[in-house]
Amino acid sequence: MIASNLDYHRATFRWKCEGLSEAQLRRRAVPPSELTLLGLMRHLQGVERHWLQRTLAGTTPAFPPYKTYVTAAGDEWYDDSDPTPAREVYEDYVRACQESREVFARATADTARIVPNTEFGATDVRFVLEHVIEEYARHVGHADLLREAIDGSTGE
């Protein structure tokens, strides 16, 4: 059920990005927010690789060297001035999702297993899965607003 929920959010996010130009994917469409669909895409590939692959599966995923900056709140975020073409970012995001699917069953077999977590302290697998679903749900909502502001498309 969790795997299908994640796939639903992944598919919805991809749908929000479909058919848009490079410029549209990079557009900050909801001022004063600096969020872009391309920035969210970079972030979600990081979510896949950090939480599902590294934290739960114990792999050492390859993170692309996308340009980042530190926000006023001290968080690191992907810089939209990164020159990586949107098509490459999209392919990387799809690849990150597939890599996560490949380790999911093994990584989540024991949901009570405790995993180290520098952000939240030691947590169980269930907590991490809930966090990833929450992260996707929040950012799919952002993507919905961005897409509507870009071309009026709504739904899901």
Side-chain angles (χ1 to χ4, degrees), residues 125-136:
V125 171
R126 286 181 296 258
F127 176 89
V128 173
L129 292 172
E130 181 180 312
H131 176 70
V132 171
I133 290 170
E134 177 271 331
E135 186 96 0
Y136 257 101

Side-chain angles (χ1 to χ4, degrees), residues 20-21 32 36 41 45 58 64 109 111 116 120-121 129 143:
L20 296 176
S21 69
T36 67
M41 195 179 301
Q45 68 75 30
T111 57
F120 300 111
L129 292 172

